[in-house]
Amino acid sequence: MANLTVTIQEDLTINSAQAGGTITHVITGINDVYKRTVSCASAQSTTLVTFAESEHTANGALSVADTRYIRLTNLDSTNSVEVAYTLGTLGEEASLFQATLGPGSSHVYDRASQLALIEADGSPSFGTMGDLSKIIVRPIAEGAAVRVEVFIASV
């Protein structure tokens, strides 16, 4: 087992005062890592990763319960991508949320299980969160292929 150390650092000086900060978090017991860089074709949806109850229940899937860290990074210096995070059982996705991932930006999550709850009314219920089942990306700009890196650590 290994420890994953994650450090987020902002370095910003305004009027001679440091406004940034550093946050370090250690995740213990890591046994598996999934790292992949994918070229996402223009006007095409690309599934980066799928999650399931366990690795043996679906081809190529990662265990939703064992996932302790997810980082998705847009490696492009110019173009953004839209990211769809689907929730529910693999093959029976019940809902999803989408977000834009700008050039050089990352999304970071500490889990795949109990990740999110989608509501349409704008009033949070803080109810039971759903499990992540897929991460899908699509470049926003026509004619632009965008490279995206996904890094996932599991126990």
Side-chain angles (χ1 to χ4, degrees):
M1 288 190 231
N3 293 337
L4 170 63
T5 302
V6 178
T7 303
I8 299 174
Q9 180 177 346
E10 297 98 9
D11 185 14
L12 174 64
T13 303
I14 297 177
N15 297 327
S16 301
Q18 180 56 249
T22 301
I23 303 293
T24 300
H25 178 64
V26 177
I27 305 165
T28 61
I30 300 300
N31 290 316
D32 297 309
V33 67
Y34 176 84
K35 185 176 180 181
R36 181 175 180 207
T37 302
V38 181
S39 182
C40 304
S42 171
Q44 300 296 318
S45 296
T46 302
T47 300
L48 297 180
V49 64
T50 59
F51 296 90
E53 187 175 321
S54 65
E55 289 87 351
H56 68 275
T57 59
N59 291 336
L62 302 179
S63 168
V64 69
D66 291 343
T67 300
R68 297 294 185 270
Y69 179 81
I70 302 168
R71 177 184 50 80
L72 185 66
T73 302
N74 179 354
L75 300 176
D76 198 271
S77 61
T78 307
N79 299 294
S80 297
V81 295
E82 291 177 330
V83 183
Y85 297 94
T86 65
L87 307 173
T89 305
L90 184 64
E92 298 177 21
E93 286 76 23
S95 57
L96 65 84
F97 68 96
Q98 291 179 223
T100 299
L101 184 58
S105 296
S106 296
H107 291 170
V108 176
Y109 297 99
D110 68 340
R111 70 188 70 219
S113 66
Q114 302 297 299
L115 178 69
L117 172 63
I118 309 304
E119 297 179 325
D121 62 7
S123 179
S125 69
F126 298 105
T128 303
M129 302 290 180
D131 294 342
L132 187 59
S133 61
K134 291 182 187 175
I135 300 174
I136 304 166
V137 299
R138 183 182 182 111
I140 293 174
E142 286 294 321
V146 176
R147 292 175 47 83
V148 175
E149 181 178 83
V150 60
F151 178 88
I152 300 171
S154 304
V155 296

